[in-house]
Coordinates of all heavy atoms in Angstrom, one line a residue:
M322 N 13.8 -3.0 9.2 CA 13.1 -4.1 10.0 C 13.8 -4.3 11.2 O 15.0 -3.9 11.3 CB 13.0 -5.3 9.0 CG 12.4 -5.0 7.6 SD 10.7 -4.1 7.7 CE 9.7 -5.3 8.3
A323 N 13.2 -5.0 12.1 CA 13.6 -5.2 13.4 C 15.0 -5.8 13.5 O 15.8 -5.3 14.4 CB 12.6 -6.0 14.2
N324 N 15.3 -6.8 12.7 CA 16.6 -7.5 12.8 C 17.7 -6.9 11.9 O 18.8 -7.2 11.8 CB 16.4 -9.0 12.6 CG 16.1 -9.3 11.1 OD1 16.0 -8.4 10.2 ND2 15.7 -10.6 10.9
G325 N 17.2 -5.9 11.1 CA 18.3 -5.2 10.3 C 18.5 -6.0 9.0 O 19.3 -5.6 8.2
K326 N 18.1 -7.2 8.8 CA 18.4 -8.0 7.7 C 17.3 -8.2 6.8 O 17.5 -8.4 5.5 CB 18.9 -9.4 8.2 CG 20.1 -9.4 9.0 CD 20.5 -10.7 9.6 CE 21.7 -10.7 10.4 NZ 22.0 -12.0 11.1
Q327 N 16.0 -8.3 7.2 CA 15.0 -8.5 6.4 C 14.7 -7.4 5.3 O 14.8 -6.3 5.6 CB 13.6 -8.6 7.2 CG 13.5 -10.0 7.9 CD 12.0 -10.0 8.6 OE1 11.6 -9.0 9.0 NE2 11.7 -11.3 8.6
Q328 N 14.3 -7.9 4.0 CA 13.9 -6.9 3.0 C 12.5 -7.4 2.6 O 12.3 -8.6 2.5 CB 14.7 -7.3 1.7 CG 16.2 -6.6 1.9 CD 16.8 -6.7 0.6 OE1 16.3 -6.0 -0.4 NE2 17.8 -7.4 0.4
I329 N 11.5 -6.5 2.6 CA 10.3 -6.7 2.2 C 10.2 -6.3 0.8 O 10.4 -5.2 0.4 CB 9.2 -6.0 3.0 CG1 9.4 -6.3 4.5 CG2 7.8 -6.3 2.5 CD1 9.3 -7.7 4.9
M330 N 9.9 -7.3 -0.1 CA 9.7 -6.9 -1.6 C 8.2 -6.9 -1.8 O 7.4 -7.8 -1.3 CB 10.3 -8.1 -2.4 CG 11.8 -8.4 -2.1 SD 12.9 -7.0 -2.2 CE 12.9 -6.6 -3.9
C331 N 7.7 -5.9 -2.5 CA 6.3 -5.8 -2.7 C 6.1 -5.0 -4.1 O 6.8 -4.1 -4.5 CB 5.8 -4.9 -1.6 SG 4.0 -4.4 -1.9
S332 N 5.2 -5.5 -4.9 CA 4.8 -5.0 -6.1 C 3.7 -4.1 -6.2 O 3.1 -3.5 -7.2 CB 4.6 -6.1 -7.1 OG 3.5 -6.9 -6.7
V333 N 3.1 -3.6 -5.0 CA 2.0 -2.9 -4.9 C 2.4 -1.4 -4.9 O 2.5 -0.7 -3.9 CB 1.1 -3.1 -3.5 CG1 -0.1 -2.4 -3.6 CG2 0.9 -4.6 -3.5
D334 N 2.6 -0.9 -6.1 CA 3.2 0.5 -6.3 C 2.3 1.6 -6.1 O 2.8 2.7 -6.1 CB 3.9 0.6 -7.7 CG 2.9 0.6 -8.9 OD1 1.7 0.3 -8.7 OD2 3.2 0.8 -10.0
S335 N 1.0 1.4 -5.8 CA 0.1 2.4 -5.4 C 0.1 2.6 -3.9 O -0.6 3.6 -3.4 CB -1.3 2.1 -5.8 OG -1.7 0.8 -5.3
C336 N 1.0 1.9 -3.2 CA 1.1 2.1 -1.7 C 2.0 3.2 -1.4 O 3.2 3.4 -2.0 CB 1.6 0.7 -1.0 SG 1.8 0.9 0.8
H337 N 1.7 4.0 -0.4 CA 2.5 5.1 0.1 C 4.0 4.6 0.4 O 4.9 5.4 0.2 CB 1.9 5.7 1.4 CG 2.8 6.6 2.2 ND1 3.2 7.8 1.8 CD2 3.3 6.5 3.5 CE1 3.9 8.3 2.6 NE2 4.0 7.7 3.7
Y338 N 4.2 3.4 0.9 CA 5.4 2.9 1.5 C 6.3 2.3 0.3 O 7.4 1.9 0.5 CB 5.2 1.8 2.5 CG 4.5 2.5 3.7 CD1 3.2 2.3 4.0 CD2 5.2 3.4 4.6 CE1 2.5 2.8 5.1 CE2 4.7 4.0 5.6 CZ 3.2 3.8 6.0 OH 2.5 4.3 6.9
W339 N 5.7 2.0 -0.8 CA 6.4 1.3 -2.0 C 7.5 2.2 -2.5 O 7.4 3.4 -2.6 CB 5.4 1.2 -3.1 CG 6.0 0.3 -4.2 CD1 6.1 -1.0 -4.3 CD2 6.6 0.9 -5.4 NE1 6.7 -1.3 -5.6 CE2 7.0 -0.1 -6.2 CE3 6.8 2.2 -5.9 CZ2 7.6 0.1 -7.4 CZ3 7.5 2.4 -7.0 CH2 7.9 1.3 -7.8
E340 N 8.7 1.6 -2.7 CA 9.8 2.3 -3.4 C 10.3 1.6 -4.6 O 10.1 0.3 -4.7 CB 11.0 2.3 -2.4 CG 10.5 3.2 -1.1 CD 11.6 3.3 -0.1 OE1 12.6 2.4 -0.1 OE2 11.5 4.1 0.8
S341 N 10.9 2.3 -5.5 CA 11.5 1.8 -6.8 C 12.3 0.5 -6.5 O 12.9 0.3 -5.6 CB 12.4 2.9 -7.2 OG 13.1 2.4 -8.4
G342 N 12.2 -0.5 -7.5 CA 12.7 -1.8 -7.4 C 11.8 -2.7 -6.7 O 12.3 -3.8 -6.3
N343 N 10.6 -2.4 -6.4 CA 9.6 -3.2 -5.6 C 10.1 -3.5 -4.1 O 10.0 -4.6 -3.7 CB 9.2 -4.5 -6.4 CG 8.3 -4.3 -7.6 OD1 7.6 -3.2 -7.5 ND2 8.5 -5.1 -8.6
H344 N 10.6 -2.4 -3.5 CA 10.9 -2.5 -2.1 C 9.9 -1.9 -1.3 O 9.3 -0.9 -1.7 CB 12.2 -1.8 -1.8 CG 13.4 -2.4 -2.5 ND1 14.2 -3.5 -1.8 CD2 14.0 -2.3 -3.7 CE1 15.1 -3.9 -2.7 NE2 15.1 -3.1 -3.7
C345 N 9.7 -2.5 -0.1 CA 8.8 -1.8 0.8 C 9.7 -0.8 1.8 O 10.6 -1.4 2.3 CB 8.0 -2.8 1.7 SG 7.1 -2.1 3.1
G346 N 9.2 0.4 1.9 CA 10.0 1.3 2.6 C 9.5 1.6 3.9 O 10.0 2.5 4.7
A347 N 8.6 0.9 4.4 CA 8.0 1.0 5.8 C 9.0 0.5 6.8 O 9.6 -0.5 6.6 CB 6.7 0.3 5.9
D348 N 9.1 1.2 8.0 CA 9.9 0.7 9.0 C 9.4 -0.6 9.7 O 10.2 -1.3 10.3 CB 10.1 1.7 10.1 CG 9.0 2.1 10.9 OD1 7.8 2.0 10.4 OD2 9.2 2.6 12.1
M349 N 8.0 -0.9 9.5 CA 7.5 -2.1 10.0 C 6.3 -2.3 9.3 O 5.6 -1.4 8.8 CB 7.3 -2.1 11.5 CG 6.3 -1.0 12.0 SD 5.9 -1.0 13.7 CE 7.3 -0.3 14.4
I350 N 5.9 -3.6 9.1 CA 4.5 -3.8 8.4 C 3.8 -4.8 9.2 O 4.3 -5.5 9.9 CB 4.6 -4.2 7.0 CG1 5.4 -5.7 6.8 CG2 5.4 -3.3 6.1 CD1 5.2 -6.4 5.5
M351 N 2.5 -4.9 9.0 CA 1.6 -5.9 9.7 C 1.1 -6.7 8.5 O 0.3 -6.3 7.7 CB 0.5 -5.1 10.5 CG -0.5 -6.0 11.0 SD 0.3 -7.0 12.6 CE -0.9 -8.3 12.8
V352 N 1.4 -8.1 8.6 CA 0.8 -8.9 7.7 C -0.3 -9.8 8.6 O 0.1 -10.2 9.7 CB 1.9 -10.0 7.1 CG1 1.0 -11.1 6.4 CG2 2.7 -9.1 6.3
T353 N -1.5 -9.8 8.2 CA -2.4 -10.5 8.9 C -3.4 -11.2 8.2 O -3.3 -11.2 6.7 CB -3.2 -9.5 9.9 OG1 -4.1 -10.1 10.7 CG2 -4.0 -8.4 9.0
A354 N -4.5 -11.8 8.6 CA -5.5 -12.5 7.9 C -6.5 -11.5 7.4 O -6.8 -10.6 8.1 CB -6.2 -13.6 8.8
D355 N -7.1 -11.7 6.3 CA -8.1 -10.8 5.8 C -9.4 -10.7 6.8 O -9.9 -9.6 6.9 CB -8.7 -11.5 4.5 CG -7.7 -11.4 3.4 OD1 -6.8 -10.7 3.5 OD2 -8.0 -11.9 2.4
S356 N -9.6 -11.8 7.4 CA -10.7 -11.7 8.5 C -10.4 -10.8 9.6 O -11.4 -10.2 10.2 CB -10.8 -13.2 9.1 OG -9.7 -13.6 9.7
M357 N -9.2 -10.4 9.8 CA -8.9 -9.4 10.8 C -8.8 -8.0 10.2 O -9.3 -7.0 10.7 CB -7.6 -9.7 11.6 CG -7.4 -8.9 12.8 SD -6.9 -7.2 12.5 CE -5.2 -7.3 12.4
A358 N -8.1 -8.0 9.1 CA -7.9 -6.8 8.3 C -9.2 -6.0 7.9 O -9.2 -4.7 7.9 CB -6.9 -7.0 7.2
D359 N -10.1 -6.8 7.4 CA -11.3 -6.2 6.8 C -12.0 -5.4 7.9 O -12.2 -4.2 7.7 CB -12.3 -7.2 6.4 CG -12.1 -7.5 4.9 OD1 -11.4 -6.7 4.3 OD2 -12.7 -8.3 4.4
P360 N -12.3 -5.8 9.2 CA -13.1 -5.0 10.0 C -12.3 -4.0 10.8 O -12.8 -3.1 11.5 CB -13.7 -6.2 11.0 CG -12.8 -7.2 10.8 CD -12.1 -7.2 9.5
A361 N -10.9 -4.3 11.0 CA -10.1 -3.3 11.9 C -9.9 -1.9 11.1 O -9.6 -2.0 10.0 CB -8.8 -4.1 12.1
P362 N -9.9 -0.9 12.0 CA -9.6 0.5 11.4 C -8.2 0.6 11.1 O -7.3 -0.1 11.4 CB -10.1 1.3 12.6 CG -9.9 0.5 13.7 CD -10.2 -0.8 13.4
D363 N -8.0 1.6 10.2 CA -6.6 2.0 9.7 C -5.6 2.3 10.9 O -4.4 2.1 10.8 CB -6.6 3.1 8.8 CG -7.3 2.8 7.5 OD1 -7.5 1.6 7.1 OD2 -7.5 3.6 6.6
T364 N -6.2 2.6 12.0 CA -5.3 3.0 13.0 C -4.8 1.6 13.8 O -3.7 1.8 14.5 CB -6.1 3.9 14.2 OG1 -7.2 3.1 14.5 CG2 -6.3 5.1 13.7
I365 N -5.1 0.6 13.5 CA -4.7 -0.7 14.0 C -3.8 -1.2 13.1 O -4.2 -1.5 11.9 CB -5.8 -1.7 14.3 CG1 -6.9 -1.1 15.2 CG2 -5.3 -3.1 14.8 CD1 -6.4 -0.8 16.6
D366 N -2.4 -1.2 13.4 CA -1.4 -1.7 12.5 C -0.2 -2.1 13.1 O -0.2 -2.5 14.3 CB -1.1 -0.4 11.6 CG -0.7 -0.9 10.1 OD1 0.3 -1.7 10.0 OD2 -1.3 -0.5 9.1
A367 N 0.9 -2.2 12.5 CA 2.1 -2.9 12.9 C 2.6 -2.4 14.5 O 2.9 -3.2 15.3 CB 3.3 -2.6 12.1
P368 N 2.4 -1.1 14.9 CA 2.7 -0.7 16.1 C 2.0 -1.5 17.3 O 2.5 -1.7 18.3 CB 2.5 0.7 16.2 CG 2.6 1.1 14.7 CD 2.1 0.1 14.0
Q369 N 0.8 -2.0 17.1 CA 0.1 -2.7 18.1 C 0.2 -4.2 17.8 O -0.4 -5.1 18.5 CB -1.5 -2.4 17.8 CG -1.8 -0.9 18.2 CD -1.6 0.0 17.0 OE1 -1.8 -0.4 15.8 NE2 -1.1 1.2 17.3
A370 N 1.0 -4.7 16.8 CA 1.0 -6.2 16.5 C 1.3 -7.1 17.7 O 0.8 -8.1 17.7 CB 2.0 -6.4 15.3
S371 N 2.1 -6.6 18.5 CA 2.6 -7.5 19.7 C 1.5 -7.9 20.5 O 1.5 -8.9 21.3 CB 3.9 -7.0 20.3 OG 3.6 -5.8 20.9
I372 N 0.5 -7.1 20.7 CA -0.6 -7.4 21.7 C -1.8 -7.9 20.9 O -2.9 -8.0 21.5 CB -1.0 -6.1 22.4 CG1 -1.2 -4.9 21.5 CG2 0.2 -5.8 23.4 CD1 -1.8 -3.8 22.5
M373 N -1.8 -8.1 19.6 CA -3.0 -8.6 18.9 C -3.0 -10.2 18.8 O -2.0 -10.8 19.0 CB -2.9 -8.0 17.3 CG -3.1 -6.6 17.3 SD -2.6 -5.8 15.9 CE -3.5 -6.5 14.6
P374 N -4.3 -10.7 18.9 CA -4.4 -12.1 18.8 C -3.9 -12.7 17.5 O -3.8 -12.0 16.5 CB -6.0 -12.3 18.9 CG -6.5 -11.0 18.5 CD -5.6 -9.9 18.8
A375 N -3.5 -13.9 17.5 CA -3.1 -14.6 16.3 C -4.3 -14.8 15.4 O -5.5 -14.9 15.8 CB -2.4 -16.0 16.8
T376 N -4.0 -14.8 14.1 CA -5.0 -15.0 13.1 C -4.7 -16.0 12.0 O -4.1 -15.7 11.0 CB -5.3 -13.5 12.5 OG1 -4.2 -13.2 11.9 CG2 -5.9 -12.6 13.4
P377 N -4.9 -17.3 12.4 CA -4.4 -18.3 11.5 C -5.1 -18.3 10.1 O -6.2 -17.8 9.9 CB -4.7 -19.6 12.2 CG -5.3 -19.3 13.5 CD -5.5 -17.8 13.5
A378 N -4.4 -18.6 9.1 CA -4.9 -18.7 7.6 C -4.4 -20.1 7.1 O -3.4 -20.7 7.6 CB -4.3 -17.6 6.9
E379 N -5.1 -20.6 6.2 CA -4.6 -21.8 5.5 C -4.1 -21.6 4.1 O -3.5 -22.5 3.4 CB -5.9 -22.8 5.4 CG -6.3 -23.2 6.8 CD -7.3 -24.3 6.9 OE1 -7.5 -24.9 5.8 OE2 -7.8 -24.4 8.0
H380 N -4.4 -20.5 3.6 CA -3.9 -20.1 2.1 C -3.4 -18.7 2.0 O -3.9 -17.9 2.7 CB -5.0 -20.3 1.2 CG -5.8 -21.6 1.2 ND1 -5.3 -22.8 0.7 CD2 -7.0 -21.9 1.8 CE1 -6.0 -23.8 0.8 NE2 -7.2 -23.4 1.5
C381 N -2.5 -18.5 1.1 CA -1.9 -17.1 1.0 C -3.0 -16.2 0.6 O -2.9 -14.9 0.9 CB -0.7 -17.1 0.0 SG -1.1 -17.6 -1.6
M382 N -4.1 -16.6 -0.1 CA -5.1 -15.7 -0.6 C -5.9 -15.1 0.7 O -6.7 -14.1 0.5 CB -6.0 -16.4 -1.5 CG -5.4 -16.8 -2.8 SD -4.5 -18.4 -2.6 CE -5.9 -19.5 -2.6
E383 N -5.7 -15.7 1.8 CA -6.4 -15.3 3.0 C -5.5 -14.4 3.8 O -6.0 -13.9 5.0 CB -6.8 -16.4 3.9 CG -7.6 -17.5 3.2 CD -7.8 -18.7 4.0 OE1 -7.2 -18.9 5.1 OE2 -8.5 -19.7 3.5
T384 N -4.5 -13.9 3.4 CA -3.6 -13.0 4.1 C -3.4 -11.6 3.4 O -3.5 -11.6 2.1 CB -2.2 -13.7 4.4 OG1 -1.5 -13.7 3.2 CG2 -2.4 -15.0 5.0
C385 N -3.0 -10.6 4.1 CA -2.7 -9.4 3.4 C -1.8 -8.6 4.1 O -1.5 -8.9 5.3 CB -4.1 -8.5 3.1 SG -4.8 -8.0 4.8
C386 N -1.4 -7.5 3.6 CA -0.5 -6.4 4.2 C -1.4 -5.4 4.7 O -2.1 -4.5 3.9 CB 0.5 -5.8 3.3 SG 1.4 -4.5 4.1
K387 N -1.6 -5.3 6.0 CA -2.6 -4.3 6.5 C -2.0 -2.9 6.7 O -2.7 -1.9 6.7 CB -3.0 -4.6 8.0 CG -4.1 -3.7 8.5 CD -4.8 -4.3 9.6 CE -5.9 -3.4 10.0 NZ -5.8 -1.9 9.6
T388 N -0.7 -2.8 6.3 CA 0.1 -1.6 6.4 C -0.2 -0.7 5.1 O 0.1 0.4 5.1 CB 1.5 -1.8 6.7 OG1 1.7 -2.5 8.0 CG2 2.2 -0.3 6.8
F389 N -0.7 -1.5 4.2 CA -0.9 -0.8 2.8 C -1.7 0.6 3.1 O -2.8 0.5 3.7 CB -1.7 -1.6 1.9 CG -2.3 -0.8 0.6 CD1 -1.5 -0.6 -0.5 CD2 -3.6 -0.4 0.7 CE1 -2.0 0.1 -1.4 CE2 -4.1 0.4 -0.4 CZ -3.3 0.6 -1.4
T390 N -1.2 1.5 2.5 CA -1.9 2.9 2.5 C -1.8 3.6 1.2 O -0.8 3.6 0.7 CB -1.3 3.9 3.6 OG1 -1.2 3.3 4.8 CG2 -1.9 5.2 3.7
L391 N -3.0 3.8 0.6 CA -3.0 4.4 -0.8 C -2.3 5.7 -0.8 O -2.5 6.7 -0.1 CB -4.5 4.6 -1.2 CG -4.7 5.2 -2.5 CD1 -4.2 4.1 -3.7 CD2 -6.2 5.4 -2.8
K392 N -1.3 5.8 -1.7 CA -0.5 6.9 -2.0 C -1.5 8.2 -2.2 O -2.3 8.1 -3.0 CB 0.3 6.8 -3.2 CG 1.7 7.1 -3.1 CD 2.4 6.8 -4.5 CE 3.2 5.5 -4.5 NZ 4.0 5.3 -5.7
G393 N -1.2 9.3 -1.5 CA -1.9 10.6 -1.7 C -3.3 10.5 -1.0 O -4.1 11.4 -1.3
S394 N -3.6 9.5 -0.3 CA -5.0 9.4 0.4 C -5.2 10.3 1.5 O -6.3 10.4 2.0 CB -5.2 7.9 0.8 OG -4.3 7.6 1.8
G395 N -4.1 10.8 2.1 CA -4.2 11.6 3.2 C -4.3 10.8 4.5 O -4.4 11.4 5.6
K396 N -4.1 9.5 4.4 CA -4.2 8.6 5.6 C -2.8 8.1 6.0 O -2.7 7.1 6.8 CB -5.1 7.4 5.4 CG -6.5 7.9 5.0 CD -7.4 6.6 4.8 CE -8.9 7.0 4.7 NZ -9.7 5.9 4.4
E397 N -1.8 8.7 5.4 CA -0.4 8.2 5.5 C 0.1 8.1 7.0 O 1.0 7.4 7.5 CB 0.6 9.0 4.7 CG 0.4 8.8 3.3 CD -0.6 9.8 2.7 OE1 -1.3 10.4 3.4 OE2 -0.7 9.9 1.5
R398 N -0.4 9.0 7.9 CA -0.1 9.1 9.4 C -0.9 8.3 10.3 O -0.7 8.4 11.5 CB 0.2 10.5 9.7 CG 1.2 11.3 8.8 CD 1.7 12.6 9.5 NE 2.4 13.4 8.5 CZ 3.6 13.2 8.2 NH1 4.3 12.1 8.7 NH2 4.2 14.0 7.4
M399 N -1.9 7.7 9.8 CA -3.0 7.1 10.7 C -2.4 5.8 11.4 O -2.8 5.5 12.5 CB -4.2 6.7 10.0 CG -5.0 8.0 9.5 SD -6.6 7.4 8.8 CE -7.5 6.8 10.2
D400 N -1.5 5.0 10.8 CA -1.1 3.8 11.2 C 0.1 3.8 12.2 O 0.5 2.7 12.8 CB -0.9 2.8 10.1 CG 0.1 3.3 9.1 OD1 0.9 4.3 9.4 OD2 0.2 2.8 7.9
G401 N 0.8 4.9 12.3 CA 2.1 5.1 13.2 C 3.2 4.4 12.6 O 4.2 4.3 13.3
V402 N 3.2 4.1 11.3 CA 4.3 3.4 10.7 C 5.1 4.6 9.9 O 4.5 5.6 9.4 CB 3.8 2.4 9.6 CG1 5.0 1.9 8.8 CG2 3.2 1.3 10.3
I403 N 6.4 4.5 10.0 CA 7.3 5.5 9.4 C 7.9 5.0 8.1 O 8.3 3.8 8.0 CB 8.4 5.8 10.4 CG1 7.7 6.5 11.6 CG2 9.4 6.8 9.7 CD1 8.8 6.6 12.8
K404 N 7.9 5.9 7.0 CA 8.5 5.6 5.7 C 10.0 5.9 5.8 O 10.3 7.0 6.2 CB 7.8 6.3 4.5 CG 8.3 5.9 3.2 CD 7.5 6.6 2.2 CE 8.1 6.2 0.8 NZ 7.2 6.7 -0.3
S405 N 10.9 5.0 5.5 CA 12.4 5.2 5.7 C 12.8 6.3 4.5 O 12.2 6.4 3.4 CB 13.1 3.9 5.4 OG 12.8 3.2 4.3
Ligands
SF4_1417 S1 3.3 -1.5 3.2 FE1 2.7 -3.3 2.5 S2 1.6 -2.9 0.5 FE2 2.8 -1.1 1.1 S3 4.8 -1.4 0.1 FE3 5.0 -2.3 2.1 S4 4.5 -4.4 1.7 FE4 3.7 -3.4 0.1

């Protein structure tokens, strides 16, 4: 991660970036509101995050990891994120 200190823990083991011990192995992830993630294509992800508009939410149920990519789906390179 950017500051070298963060650890992303994640239990979504069907994700391409998921690693043993419930670690996220992506070099960056994009957490956003469902209202943005739903309509946005898979090519819009963490590499574009700094120029994306803010997407406020009021509950954790309204947020998601947009970097999720189903393991073996063939879409692993669409988001520009690298697996460590
Ligand atoms: S990219 Fe998102 S869904 Fe996939 S392992 Fe990382 S945090 Fe979990």
Side-chain angles (χ1 to χ4, degrees):
M322 303 307 290
N324 66 11
K326 293 179 184 172
Q327 282 186 324
Q328 284 190 66
I329 307 297
M330 308 305 291
C331 177
S332 60
V333 185
D334 65 350
S335 55
C336 178
H337 166 66
Y338 300 104
W339 183 89
E340 294 179 348
S341 175
N343 285 333
H344 292 277
C345 173
D348 68 335
M349 59 177 80
I350 67 167
M351 176 72 194
V352 175
T353 188
D355 293 347
S356 58
M357 191 288 269
D359 263 353
D363 289 347
T364 51
I365 303 297
D366 211 302
Q369 296 83 34
S371 64
I372 57 168
M373 288 161 63
T376 57
E379 295 188 10
H380 307 282
C381 61
M382 294 83 78
E383 300 168 358
T384 68
C385 68
C386 174
K387 190 167 184 332
T388 307
F389 168 83
T390 302
L391 181 64
K392 232 180 254 183
S394 64
K396 296 181 175 178
E397 293 86 348
R398 299 196 192 285
M399 288 183 72
D400 54 15
V402 175
I403 296 167
K404 184 172 179 176
S405 57

